[in-house]
Every structure is written in structure tokens, then in C-alpha cells.
Amino acid sequence: MTTVHQSPAPEGSKPKYTIPRPRNLYNFTIALFVACGSLCYGYASSISAALIGQPSWYDYMGLVSGTAQSNRILGAINGVYAAGGAFGCIVNMYIAERFGRPRSIQIGCVVSIVGASIMTASVNIPMFIVSRFIMGAGIGILVTLVPLYQSEVSPPESRGLMVGLHGVLIGFSYSLTGFVTYGCYFASYGQFQWRFPLAVQLLPCTVLLVGSFFLPESPRWLIGKDRHDEAWNVTRRLHANQKKDPTHSYAHAEYNQMMAQIQFEKQHDAVGMLKQAKLAFSQRSFQKRLGLGFLVQFGNQCTGALVINNYNAQLFTGLGVTGSLPLLLLGFFNLTTVPGNLFNGLFIDRFGRRRFVLTGCIGIIVCLSCEAAMTAVFVENPANSSNRVGLGFGVFFIFAYVVFYSSCLDATMYLIPSEIFPMVIRGFGMSWSIMGQFIATVILLEAAPTAFQNIGYKFWIILICLTAIYGVLVYLFLPETKGMTLEDISILFGDPVELSFEQALHRETAGKDEDEASEIRHTGGALNEKTVDRPEHVEVKS
């Protein structure tokens, strides 16, 4: 028999309860496998950082490293990729609700495979730029769907860990880009040095495409499409544990809560992208969620993460690191994000989202301030440009930056928007939020090469100010969502919740207690073994 631990909570505040949910390896495996889409995103997003460290790529494309023309082209390559990502987010607003999560993942994989194939075969800059847009569109779909899907199949008390796998594999793919390119640096001078790293993009996309045919559909999406039997079977399997919960009490409670809330939300009649958009912008609580989701994605990029990652080789070269070492340092720089994101996943459900974001912002401001000082004093001052200690500290603060970013912000930026939207606008809200990341990326990556060339260390000061603004806005407006079901999170925004998880689990266990007592009375004390195949639907108030 499952026991519910609960304490009363005032109306409109966060409910306080301990959810006795049994662990399930199948649930974790699903969340881990779908993170192959994170590998696609991370590798595609960081490949340009590796390319600009390969002299053979410049020669083949007719560019000269460090010139104003090459800087503009590099900005265009990164900017077009981000623009494609924003376009992919818009496409996802429609397909995620129309075709479901696994089918939309398949669409993203196909588009990414086409983009990666054209990129690998590119013979000139225009062809390369077109391929980057196509790749960005596919990645925009995948980077939105992966955390969205993970959050919908994850239990609340470990949702941070499961969505955190997205960040862990992004970090791994970042480092993979650096090490693959570093290895190819020692190949015979020529096209293989840069075509092979581009071709590696095809691997995770293909694996995810093949495996996606075996992924279960999101139970929340199935309920929204009135496919209740399928939704219950998926929910039961996600939480099945015959030893600790033989009657599927947890699955019953979650299913009933999902049923009640989604049926309640259907009264909005928000079927389709345009109706979701209209609803999202017409209700104040939904507007706040859209603002917070966009803020987290846009604000995270304003800390300079992709600027540092995509122009890492140039930054290290400016700090006196030459030859193949910038590519090697790029690999280790990105490898640092793996334990950082893993730390995030293991502890964010304990300490909360707000603490991680605020800690990360403070740490990043310190690191960027020190980096700005090192750049001003040692990189841009000819009298001190040979000071190896000062330049070494410049490298150190870049690595210190990534420690704070990966452990506090990287995975959190996907976790928060994946949680805060109700099912009625969930696909639209998540896509809208991720679009904020790509819009910030377009602005910053387009501007960065020219900014570093023209204003130098002052560009770091701009990023410091943006990070400080982001931290203040998070402190003032972002609520804490740790430990809450996706449906209960609506309470934090003042929206009605038809059936809280606490109530659903209490009804489930109270009903079983009454059934067991009745069974004992009618059998003279011998309790017959019972099996539960499907929960009764919750009566939804009109």
C-alpha cells in the first residue's frame, strides 16, 4: 500500500508533498536515448568553432584568417545557422501538436541529415551557408522537442536529472567536436581535415531517426488527442515497478491528474498553432510564462556562452596559444561541460532552479570581469603582450567561465521552459522559448567577430551588463518549480488546477484502502490478489 505524505498549502502557493514514486529503468532509458537529439544540436552548433581552426578550410574556401571579409563570412555562417534554428522552432509549433513528439523528432532528423550532407559536400561559401540554414532548421526542431519530450515522460522529483541529460550530451558533443577536429588537424593537409568532422554530424541524427520509431508517444499528447487507452498503457509502463507498486498507484494518480487537467484545458478550444498563439498572448498568466521562457533562453545566450564556444580558437590564439593547441583546448573546454551538466542534473532537483541560475550569473560576471581585465592589460597592450602569466590567466578565466555556465545554466535553460507551460499551449510555448535562444545567437554571433576586432575587451563588458540584467530579472520574476508535477506548476501562475497530484494520489490510495477493507470483510480476513488494468477516468467539471 502506498502512503501519501502531505502538508497543507495555502491556495495559490506551491503544494508541499513527498511523492513516493518507484524508480523505473525504462523511464530513464527513454529520456537518455532521446538525448541523441542533444548530440545533434551540440555538435552542429559547435562545428564552426572547430572549422575556423583549420587552415585547410580557409584555403579551400578562398578566405584569409583574421581579415574583415573572413570575419563577416564567419558571422554569416553562424548567424544563418541561428536563423534556421528560429525557423525550425516556428515549424515545431505546428508539427509537435499535429504529428506528436516522436514523429516530429523524425522530421527534425531528416531535415538535419539533409543539411549535414550538403554541408559535408560543400564546394563554396554560398553552398555552405545554405546548408547551415537547413541544418539549423532541423536542429531547431530537435533542440525544442528533446527537453519537451523528456519533461513529459519524467516524474517530477527527477525531472531535473532527466531533462539534464539534454545538457550532459550537449556538452559531450561539444567536446567531441573539438577532439575530432584536433585529430583531423594531423591528417594530410587537405579537404579531409574539415570534411570528416562535418560528416560526423550525420551519425547521431541517423541513430536518433532509427531509434525514434521505438519511442513511446507522450501520454499527455495522447490524452489531448483522446487516445486514452494508449496514454494509460504508456503511463503505466513509464512508472511500472511490480515489487514496490504492484497496483500502479503512482501511474493511476498521474494519469488521472493528466486526464482531469487536459480535459479542463480543452475548454479553451486551442487546437492548432494559430489558436494556441492567440490563447497564449490573450491570457495574462500565459503571457508571463511566455516571457519567462523567452527570458531564460535569450538571457542564457547573453552570458556569452555561444560567443566563447564558437570563437574559442580565435580567443585562445589571441591569448598566445598557437598551432594545434587551440583545437585541443577547445576539446577540453567543452569536455568540462560534461561533469558540469551532470552536477546540475544530480542536484538541481534538491536545491532548485532559481539558486542554480542566480549562482551561475554571479560566477559568470566575476569570470567575464577578470577576462575583460586580462584582455585589456595583456592582449591589447603591446607592452605586456608577451607576459605569459597574464595570458595564462586569460585562458584560466575562460575555463572558469565554462565551469559556472555548465553546472548552473546550461541544462537549466531547457529545464525551465519545458516545465512552465500547460498542455493547452505547451508545444507553442516551448518553441517560442527556444526561439529566444536562436534570436540572441543571431545577434551575438553576427556581432562578435567585428566587435572583438573593433572594441576588443569592451565587448566583454557588454556581456557582463547583459548577464547582470538577466540575473536581476530571474531573481524578481522566476518562480521555483522543483518537485512539482507539470500540471501543479499552473498553481504558481494563478491558473486553476482541476485535480492536484496530492489529491489524485490521495484518492487513489484512499480508494484502495477501502477496497482492501471491504475485501477482508467479505472473505473472512483473506485478502485476494488484485490487479489493476486501467484507472477510472476522473469526472471533470464543466
Side-chain angles (χ1 to χ4, degrees):
M1 182 176 67
T2 308
T3 303
V4 185
H5 306 282
Q6 47 185 319
S7 58
E11 184 178 356
S13 64
K14 179 179 177 179
K16 300 178 180 180
Y17 50 79
T18 302
I19 304 175
R21 188 256 177 188
R23 300 286 178 178
N24 185 309
L25 182 61
Y26 172 76
N27 189 264
F28 180 82
T29 303
I30 291 296
L32 178 61
F33 175 78
V34 79
C36 284
S38 314
L39 290 175
C40 302
Y41 165 78
Y43 196 95
S45 298
S46 59
I47 190 63
S48 63
L51 282 180
I52 62 178
Q54 293 285 17
S56 58
W57 182 78
Y58 285 96
D59 289 346
Y60 184 88
M61 294 297 177
L63 300 175
V64 178
S65 176
T67 64
Q69 180 188 10
S70 65
N71 285 338
R72 285 194 296 269
I73 290 175
L74 288 176
I77 286 172
N78 286 318
V80 164
Y81 170 78
F87 176 75
C89 290
I90 295 173
V91 171
N92 191 69
M93 293 176 183
Y94 171 75
I95 64 174
E97 298 304 320
R98 175 67 178 83
F99 302 111
R101 304 340 186 200
R103 293 293 173 268
S104 299
I105 287 174
Q106 291 161 12
I107 293 173
C109 288
V110 171
V111 175
S112 298
I113 288 171
V114 171
S117 299
I118 297 174
M119 199 182 308
T120 304
S122 291
V123 296
N124 53 45
I125 289 296
M127 187 175 178
F128 197 89
I129 288 177
V130 169
S131 71
R132 285 285 284 175
F133 181 85
I134 297 173
M135 190 70 185
I139 293 303
I141 295 172
L142 293 178
V143 76
T144 304
L145 281 169
V146 169
L148 174 67
Y149 179 85
Q150 287 172 323
S151 68
E152 290 184 346
V153 300
S154 301
E157 84 283 0
S158 58
R159 190 167 56 241
L161 173 61
M162 292 193 180
V163 180
L165 294 172
H166 181 57
V168 171
L169 291 190
I170 286 177
F172 177 79
S173 60
Y174 281 163
S175 62
L176 181 65
T177 306
F179 289 128
V180 167
T181 312
Y182 176 73
C184 290
Y185 183 90
F186 297 99
S188 299
Y189 191 87
Q191 298 179 39
F192 178 84
Q193 289 181 307
W194 55 272
R195 289 200 190 274
F196 180 79
L198 291 174
V200 174
Q201 294 178 102
L202 293 163
L203 183 59
C205 298
T206 303
V207 171
L208 180 59
L209 176 62
V210 174
S212 64
F213 288 94
F214 302 96
L215 290 174
E217 182 56 84
S218 162
R220 289 175 169 86
W221 184 85
L222 289 170
I223 292 174
K225 300 300 180 182
D226 294 325
R227 293 159 62 176
H228 300 150
D229 289 330
E230 295 175 66
W232 164 242
N233 288 332
V234 172
T235 304
R236 177 174 56 183
R237 190 175 183 192
L238 287 173
H239 304 309
N241 190 310
Q242 191 61 33
K243 182 178 179 181
K244 294 184 179 180
D245 189 14
T247 57
H248 307 291
S249 297
Y250 186 97
H252 285 168
E254 183 177 60
Y255 176 85
N256 284 334
Q257 187 193 24
M258 291 188 297
M259 272 290 300
Q261 189 64 20
I262 292 172
Q263 294 297 331
F264 175 71
E265 291 174 359
K266 276 189 174 182
Q267 299 173 18
H268 291 290
D269 187 29
V271 178
M273 183 181 75
L274 294 179
K275 286 188 176 181
Q276 282 198 10
K278 182 179 179 181
L279 174 63
F281 287 106
S282 64
Q283 187 167 317
R284 187 172 181 82
S285 62
F286 291 174
Q287 292 170 2
K288 182 178 180 180
R289 301 190 208 206
L290 291 173
L292 287 173
F294 193 92
L295 168 68
V296 170
Q297 289 288 319
F298 192 95
N300 257 46
Q301 296 313 310
C302 288
T303 65
L306 284 181
V307 170
I308 293 176
N309 187 65
N310 279 272
Y311 300 109
N312 218 317
Q314 290 181 329
L315 293 175
F316 285 136
T317 300
L319 291 167
V321 182
T322 58
S324 64
L325 284 181
L327 293 175
L328 182 61
L329 287 178
L330 173 62
F332 281 111
F333 171 86
N334 287 320
L335 186 62
T336 305
T337 66
V338 176
N341 276 287
L342 186 58
F343 173 86
N344 181 289
L346 292 174
F347 293 102
I348 196 168
D349 285 314
R350 179 180 301 178
F351 296 107
R353 287 60 164 148
R354 282 172 52 86
R355 287 184 181 177
F356 268 74
V357 174
L358 294 174
T359 301
C361 287
I362 293 171
I364 284 172
I365 288 172
V366 172
C367 293
L368 291 180
S369 299
C370 294
E371 187 64 33
M374 296 302 106
T375 303
V377 175
F378 298 104
V379 176
E380 299 179 8
N381 187 340
N384 298 325
S385 59
S386 60
N387 188 314
R388 307 305 297 175
V389 175
L391 295 174
F393 270 106
V395 174
F396 168 80
F397 286 117
I398 289 179
F399 274 86
Y401 169 95
V402 79
V403 170
F404 280 102
Y405 182 81
S406 63
S407 60
C408 297
L409 297 180
D410 202 1
T412 313
M413 69 183 290
Y414 299 102
L415 173 61
I416 292 171
S418 76
E419 295 179 318
I420 61 176
F421 294 104
M423 192 65 193
V424 69
I425 60 164
R426 190 162 172 72
F428 176 84
M430 186 66 180
S431 300
W432 169 268
S433 300
I434 301 293
M435 194 163 59
Q437 172 190 157
F438 287 110
I439 291 174
T441 301
V442 170
I443 297 170
L444 293 173
L445 293 190
E446 279 276 8
T450 304
F452 279 127
Q453 186 177 42
N454 293 335
I455 63 175
Y457 77 93
K458 295 177 183 177
F459 188 58
W460 294 121
I461 296 177
I462 293 175
L463 296 178
I464 291 168
C465 295
L466 292 174
T467 303
I469 294 171
Y470 173 46
V472 171
L473 291 175
V474 166
Y475 178 80
L476 293 176
F477 299 110
L478 183 68
E480 183 55 66
T481 56
K482 69 172 183 176
M484 303 178 70
T485 65
L486 296 179
E487 287 70 30
D488 280 346
I489 287 174
S490 291
I491 296 171
L492 300 178
F493 295 92
D495 287 331
V497 174
E498 189 73 356
L499 179 69
S500 72
F501 186 85
E502 186 176 6
Q503 293 170 330
L505 194 55
H506 180 71
R507 289 183 187 181
E508 178 64 29
T509 54
K512 282 184 170 54
D513 289 344
E514 293 174 2
D515 290 345
E516 289 173 3
S518 177
E519 191 80 19
I520 292 173
R521 288 195 299 270
H522 286 83
T523 59
L527 180 62
N528 294 334
E529 182 178 354
K530 299 189 298 178
T531 59
V532 180
D533 293 324
R534 186 181 177 205
E536 296 181 3
H537 293 173
V538 174
E539 187 71 26
V540 182
K541 294 183 289 185
S542 58

